[in-house]
Amino acid sequence: MSGALQNTFAVILNVEFVTGNFGNGFIAVVNIMDLVKRRKISSVDQILTALAISRIMLLWLVLLNWWLSMLYPGRWITERMFVVIHSIWTAFNQFSLWLATSLSIFFLFKIANFSNTIFLYFKVRVKKVVTVTLFVSLFLLCLNIIVINLHENISTTEYKVNMSYSLTWNKTRLSGLWFSFANTMFAFIPFAVSLVAFLLLIFSLWKHLRKMQHSVQGCRDASATAHIRALQTVIASLLLYAIFFLSLVANIWGSLLLEKKMLLFFTQATKIAFPSVHPCVLILGNTKLRKASLSVLLWLRCRHKDRDPAVHGTGAYLCGSSCIH
């Protein structure tokens, strides 16, 4: 059963890896090509590009760590090496989380409407707000890494990964719990900020719809449409964010129940679901990226029909016309 379980989660991890690299790579390539073409890039596209690149690095790091543990089982690794690997993962993970949070903040100040003076002050300075948010995230990232390395100076231990991917610890049960707890606490901060932005967007939409009920009835106005589109993206993002955060909480439990291999596999798979699936949500929620993805799918469809000798006449002509337009 353990062999089948291990193979199942290996397949899941590889699917998430491929999906995440394609999605994040597509976002980065489209925005970089647009930058080369127009010689300028919007604030949202800057955040999306940085987010995509950081997630690609994060996914490769997770996959490398996974396969090294599979290819070289039974090798003893000093805790110093463990801390270095964990610190690198923490850096890319925290950076991607805060970039995703910056998107939520950007949507909030660009779309929401409040008469509060402080909100209006930040609304006209949304770029500075995002910049300050990223600088704060760098400070918290440094603090997170310091906290992780602080524990290494207290206890020197080592761990071993055997063939069943269960961890054999000498004194590192407390160390694993410390790493998991520290990462969970620092990940909760951007999660809470995204949750607040989501609630404020809902409240702004509710106020706007209530105001519209007292005005002339007609088709849905642009502000309500913008609210709903932003909420669709933020809801999907927050759901994936919550799954990721719960996987970190489960990882704390896994540090206490190291013999539970299924829990270890599950937390590993759910941990990278956020950077793998979230790009698809961003592509569908962004007009430029959605149109670019449809153009790519249409191009692939035309290429497939051109190579298929069974396709003739009207079907091939229509495909060619669609590709041209």
Side-chain angles (χ1 to χ4, degrees), residues 34-67:
D34 191 59
L35 172 62
V36 173
K37 181 180 178 181
R38 301 186 179 184
R39 299 285 188 251
K40 63 179 181 179
I41 185 171
S42 64
S43 300
V44 174
D45 289 340
Q46 290 178 18
I47 298 174
L48 287 173
T49 305
L51 178 60
I53 294 174
S54 66
R55 282 175 168 174
I56 291 173
M57 301 297 294
L58 179 63
L59 288 171
W60 276 99
L61 183 63
V62 170
L63 186 74
L64 179 63
N65 181 61
W66 170 268
W67 284 112

Short mmCIF file of all heavy atoms in Angstrom, two decimals, residues 34-67:
data_model
loop_
_atom_site.label_atom_id
_atom_site.label_comp_id
_atom_site.label_asym_id
_atom_site.label_seq_id
_atom_site.Cartn_x
_atom_site.Cartn_y
_atom_site.Cartn_z
N ASP A 34 5.20 41.60 -24.02
CA ASP A 34 4.47 42.87 -24.05
C ASP A 34 5.38 44.03 -23.66
O ASP A 34 5.28 45.14 -24.21
CB ASP A 34 3.27 42.79 -23.10
CG ASP A 34 2.32 43.96 -23.28
OD1 ASP A 34 1.80 44.13 -24.39
OD2 ASP A 34 2.10 44.69 -22.30
N LEU A 35 6.30 43.79 -22.70
CA LEU A 35 7.26 44.81 -22.30
C LEU A 35 8.21 45.14 -23.45
O LEU A 35 8.50 46.33 -23.71
CB LEU A 35 8.05 44.32 -21.08
CG LEU A 35 9.24 45.18 -20.65
CD1 LEU A 35 8.77 46.57 -20.23
CD2 LEU A 35 10.00 44.51 -19.52
N VAL A 36 8.70 44.13 -24.15
CA VAL A 36 9.60 44.36 -25.28
C VAL A 36 8.89 45.11 -26.40
O VAL A 36 9.47 45.99 -27.05
CB VAL A 36 10.16 43.01 -25.79
CG1 VAL A 36 10.96 43.20 -27.07
CG2 VAL A 36 11.02 42.36 -24.71
N LYS A 37 7.62 44.78 -26.61
CA LYS A 37 6.86 45.39 -27.70
C LYS A 37 6.49 46.84 -27.41
O LYS A 37 6.63 47.71 -28.27
CB LYS A 37 5.60 44.56 -27.97
CG LYS A 37 4.74 45.08 -29.10
CD LYS A 37 3.51 44.20 -29.29
CE LYS A 37 2.62 44.74 -30.40
NZ LYS A 37 1.40 43.90 -30.59
N ARG A 38 6.02 47.10 -26.20
CA ARG A 38 5.51 48.44 -25.87
C ARG A 38 6.49 49.31 -25.10
O ARG A 38 6.22 50.49 -24.85
CB ARG A 38 4.21 48.31 -25.07
CG ARG A 38 3.11 47.54 -25.81
CD ARG A 38 1.82 47.59 -25.02
NE ARG A 38 0.75 46.88 -25.72
CZ ARG A 38 -0.51 46.83 -25.29
NH1 ARG A 38 -0.84 47.44 -24.16
NH2 ARG A 38 -1.44 46.17 -25.97
N ARG A 39 7.60 48.72 -24.66
CA ARG A 39 8.62 49.45 -23.89
C ARG A 39 8.11 49.95 -22.55
O ARG A 39 8.68 50.87 -21.96
CB ARG A 39 9.17 50.64 -24.70
CG ARG A 39 9.84 50.23 -26.00
CD ARG A 39 11.21 49.63 -25.73
NE ARG A 39 11.92 49.42 -26.98
CZ ARG A 39 12.17 48.24 -27.49
NH1 ARG A 39 11.73 47.15 -26.87
NH2 ARG A 39 12.85 48.10 -28.62
N LYS A 40 7.03 49.39 -22.06
CA LYS A 40 6.51 49.74 -20.74
C LYS A 40 5.68 48.57 -20.21
O LYS A 40 5.22 47.72 -20.97
CB LYS A 40 5.67 51.01 -20.78
CG LYS A 40 4.42 50.91 -21.64
CD LYS A 40 3.63 52.22 -21.61
CE LYS A 40 2.36 52.12 -22.46
NZ LYS A 40 1.58 53.37 -22.42
N ILE A 41 5.50 48.57 -18.89
CA ILE A 41 4.76 47.49 -18.26
C ILE A 41 3.98 48.05 -17.08
O ILE A 41 4.49 48.91 -16.34
CB ILE A 41 5.71 46.35 -17.81
CG1 ILE A 41 4.92 45.16 -17.25
CG2 ILE A 41 6.72 46.86 -16.80
CD1 ILE A 41 5.79 43.94 -16.98
N SER A 42 2.75 47.61 -16.92
CA SER A 42 1.90 48.12 -15.85
C SER A 42 2.32 47.54 -14.50
O SER A 42 3.08 46.57 -14.42
CB SER A 42 0.43 47.77 -16.12
OG SER A 42 0.24 46.37 -16.10
N SER A 43 1.81 48.13 -13.43
CA SER A 43 2.15 47.67 -12.08
C SER A 43 1.65 46.25 -11.84
O SER A 43 2.37 45.42 -11.23
CB SER A 43 1.54 48.62 -11.04
OG SER A 43 2.02 49.94 -11.20
N VAL A 44 0.44 45.95 -12.32
CA VAL A 44 -0.10 44.59 -12.15
C VAL A 44 0.76 43.58 -12.88
O VAL A 44 1.07 42.50 -12.34
CB VAL A 44 -1.56 44.53 -12.65
CG1 VAL A 44 -2.07 43.11 -12.61
CG2 VAL A 44 -2.45 45.43 -11.82
N ASP A 45 1.18 43.91 -14.10
CA ASP A 45 2.01 42.98 -14.87
C ASP A 45 3.38 42.80 -14.23
O ASP A 45 3.96 41.71 -14.31
CB ASP A 45 2.17 43.49 -16.31
CG ASP A 45 0.88 43.38 -17.10
OD1 ASP A 45 0.00 42.58 -16.69
OD2 ASP A 45 0.72 44.08 -18.12
N GLN A 46 3.90 43.83 -13.59
CA GLN A 46 5.17 43.70 -12.88
C GLN A 46 5.03 42.70 -11.74
O GLN A 46 5.89 41.82 -11.55
CB GLN A 46 5.61 45.05 -12.32
CG GLN A 46 6.05 46.05 -13.38
CD GLN A 46 6.43 47.39 -12.77
OE1 GLN A 46 6.69 47.50 -11.57
NE2 GLN A 46 6.46 48.42 -13.60
N ILE A 47 3.94 42.82 -10.97
CA ILE A 47 3.71 41.90 -9.86
C ILE A 47 3.51 40.48 -10.39
O ILE A 47 4.06 39.51 -9.84
CB ILE A 47 2.50 42.35 -9.03
CG1 ILE A 47 2.75 43.73 -8.42
CG2 ILE A 47 2.20 41.34 -7.93
CD1 ILE A 47 1.55 44.32 -7.70
N LEU A 48 2.71 40.34 -11.45
CA LEU A 48 2.44 39.02 -12.00
C LEU A 48 3.72 38.35 -12.53
O LEU A 48 3.92 37.15 -12.33
CB LEU A 48 1.42 39.13 -13.14
CG LEU A 48 -0.03 39.41 -12.73
CD1 LEU A 48 -0.88 39.66 -13.96
CD2 LEU A 48 -0.60 38.26 -11.93
N THR A 49 4.57 39.13 -13.19
CA THR A 49 5.82 38.58 -13.72
C THR A 49 6.74 38.13 -12.60
O THR A 49 7.31 37.02 -12.64
CB THR A 49 6.53 39.60 -14.61
OG1 THR A 49 5.63 40.05 -15.63
CG2 THR A 49 7.76 39.01 -15.25
N ALA A 50 6.92 38.97 -11.58
CA ALA A 50 7.77 38.60 -10.45
C ALA A 50 7.19 37.39 -9.71
O ALA A 50 7.94 36.49 -9.29
CB ALA A 50 7.90 39.79 -9.49
N LEU A 51 5.88 37.36 -9.57
CA LEU A 51 5.22 36.23 -8.92
C LEU A 51 5.43 34.94 -9.70
O LEU A 51 5.73 33.88 -9.12
CB LEU A 51 3.72 36.52 -8.77
CG LEU A 51 2.84 35.44 -8.14
CD1 LEU A 51 3.32 35.13 -6.73
CD2 LEU A 51 1.39 35.86 -8.14
N ALA A 52 5.30 35.01 -11.02
CA ALA A 52 5.47 33.82 -11.86
C ALA A 52 6.90 33.29 -11.77
O ALA A 52 7.12 32.08 -11.63
CB ALA A 52 5.11 34.15 -13.30
N ILE A 53 7.89 34.17 -11.84
CA ILE A 53 9.29 33.74 -11.79
C ILE A 53 9.62 33.13 -10.44
O ILE A 53 10.30 32.09 -10.36
CB ILE A 53 10.21 34.93 -12.10
CG1 ILE A 53 10.01 35.40 -13.56
CG2 ILE A 53 11.67 34.57 -11.87
CD1 ILE A 53 10.78 36.65 -13.91
N SER A 54 9.16 33.76 -9.35
CA SER A 54 9.44 33.22 -8.02
C SER A 54 8.80 31.85 -7.83
O SER A 54 9.37 30.96 -7.18
CB SER A 54 8.95 34.19 -6.95
OG SER A 54 7.52 34.30 -6.96
N ARG A 55 7.62 31.66 -8.40
CA ARG A 55 6.95 30.37 -8.26
C ARG A 55 7.62 29.28 -9.09
O ARG A 55 7.64 28.11 -8.70
CB ARG A 55 5.47 30.51 -8.64
CG ARG A 55 4.65 31.15 -7.54
CD ARG A 55 3.23 31.41 -7.96
NE ARG A 55 2.40 31.74 -6.81
CZ ARG A 55 1.14 32.12 -6.89
NH1 ARG A 55 0.56 32.23 -8.09
NH2 ARG A 55 0.45 32.41 -5.81
N ILE A 56 8.14 29.65 -10.25
CA ILE A 56 8.89 28.67 -11.04
C ILE A 56 10.11 28.18 -10.25
O ILE A 56 10.39 26.98 -10.20
CB ILE A 56 9.32 29.28 -12.39
CG1 ILE A 56 8.08 29.50 -13.28
CG2 ILE A 56 10.32 28.38 -13.10
CD1 ILE A 56 8.38 30.24 -14.57
N MET A 57 10.83 29.11 -9.64
CA MET A 57 11.98 28.73 -8.82
C MET A 57 11.56 27.87 -7.64
O MET A 57 12.23 26.89 -7.30
CB MET A 57 12.69 29.99 -8.32
CG MET A 57 13.21 30.90 -9.42
SD MET A 57 14.47 30.11 -10.44
CE MET A 57 15.78 29.91 -9.25
N LEU A 58 10.43 28.21 -7.03
CA LEU A 58 9.93 27.46 -5.89
C LEU A 58 9.56 26.03 -6.29
O LEU A 58 9.89 25.06 -5.59
CB LEU A 58 8.71 28.16 -5.28
CG LEU A 58 8.03 27.49 -4.09
CD1 LEU A 58 8.98 27.41 -2.92
CD2 LEU A 58 6.77 28.23 -3.70
N LEU A 59 8.90 25.87 -7.43
CA LEU A 59 8.50 24.55 -7.89
C LEU A 59 9.71 23.68 -8.22
O LEU A 59 9.73 22.48 -7.90
CB LEU A 59 7.59 24.68 -9.12
CG LEU A 59 6.18 25.22 -8.86
CD1 LEU A 59 5.47 25.52 -10.17
CD2 LEU A 59 5.37 24.23 -8.04
N TRP A 60 10.71 24.26 -8.87
CA TRP A 60 11.92 23.50 -9.17
C TRP A 60 12.65 23.08 -7.90
O TRP A 60 13.21 21.97 -7.82
CB TRP A 60 12.86 24.32 -10.07
CG TRP A 60 12.51 24.23 -11.51
CD1 TRP A 60 11.79 25.12 -12.26
CD2 TRP A 60 12.84 23.16 -12.40
NE1 TRP A 60 11.66 24.68 -13.56
CE2 TRP A 60 12.29 23.48 -13.68
CE3 TRP A 60 13.55 21.97 -12.25
CZ2 TRP A 60 12.44 22.65 -14.78
CZ3 TRP A 60 13.70 21.14 -13.36
CH2 TRP A 60 13.15 21.47 -14.60
N LEU A 61 12.65 23.94 -6.90
CA LEU A 61 13.29 23.61 -5.63
C LEU A 61 12.57 22.46 -4.94
O LEU A 61 13.21 21.54 -4.40
CB LEU A 61 13.32 24.84 -4.73
CG LEU A 61 14.03 24.68 -3.38
CD1 LEU A 61 15.51 24.38 -3.60
CD2 LEU A 61 13.88 25.95 -2.54
N VAL A 62 11.23 22.51 -4.94
CA VAL A 62 10.45 21.43 -4.33
C VAL A 62 10.68 20.11 -5.05
O VAL A 62 10.88 19.06 -4.42
CB VAL A 62 8.95 21.80 -4.32
CG1 VAL A 62 8.11 20.59 -3.90
CG2 VAL A 62 8.68 22.97 -3.39
N LEU A 63 10.67 20.16 -6.40
CA LEU A 63 10.88 18.93 -7.16
C LEU A 63 12.29 18.37 -6.94
O LEU A 63 12.47 17.15 -6.79
CB LEU A 63 10.65 19.20 -8.65
CG LEU A 63 10.72 17.95 -9.54
CD1 LEU A 63 9.46 17.10 -9.35
CD2 LEU A 63 10.88 18.32 -11.01
N LEU A 64 13.28 19.26 -6.91
CA LEU A 64 14.65 18.81 -6.68
C LEU A 64 14.80 18.16 -5.31
O LEU A 64 15.42 17.09 -5.18
CB LEU A 64 15.60 20.01 -6.79
CG LEU A 64 17.10 19.73 -6.55
CD1 LEU A 64 17.62 18.77 -7.61
CD2 LEU A 64 17.89 21.02 -6.54
N ASN A 65 14.21 18.75 -4.31
CA ASN A 65 14.25 18.19 -2.96
C ASN A 65 13.56 16.83 -2.90
O ASN A 65 14.03 15.88 -2.25
CB ASN A 65 13.61 19.17 -1.98
CG ASN A 65 13.66 18.65 -0.55
OD1 ASN A 65 14.72 18.42 0.01
ND2 ASN A 65 12.48 18.47 0.05
N TRP A 66 12.43 16.73 -3.62
CA TRP A 66 11.67 15.47 -3.63
C TRP A 66 12.48 14.35 -4.27
O TRP A 66 12.61 13.25 -3.72
CB TRP A 66 10.35 15.69 -4.36
CG TRP A 66 9.59 14.42 -4.65
CD1 TRP A 66 9.66 13.66 -5.76
CD2 TRP A 66 8.65 13.78 -3.79
NE1 TRP A 66 8.82 12.58 -5.67
CE2 TRP A 66 8.19 12.62 -4.47
CE3 TRP A 66 8.14 14.06 -2.53
CZ2 TRP A 66 7.25 11.76 -3.91
CZ3 TRP A 66 7.21 13.19 -1.99
CH2 TRP A 66 6.78 12.06 -2.66
N TRP A 67 13.04 14.62 -5.47
CA TRP A 67 13.75 13.56 -6.19
C TRP A 67 15.08 13.21 -5.55
O TRP A 67 15.52 12.05 -5.63
CB TRP A 67 13.94 13.97 -7.66
CG TRP A 67 12.68 13.83 -8.45
CD1 TRP A 67 11.92 14.82 -9.00
CD2 TRP A 67 12.01 12.60 -8.77
NE1 TRP A 67 10.83 14.30 -9.64
CE2 TRP A 67 10.85 12.94 -9.52
CE3 TRP A 67 12.26 11.25 -8.49
CZ2 TRP A 67 9.96 11.98 -9.97
CZ3 TRP A 67 11.37 10.30 -8.95
CH2 TRP A 67 10.23 10.66 -9.69
#
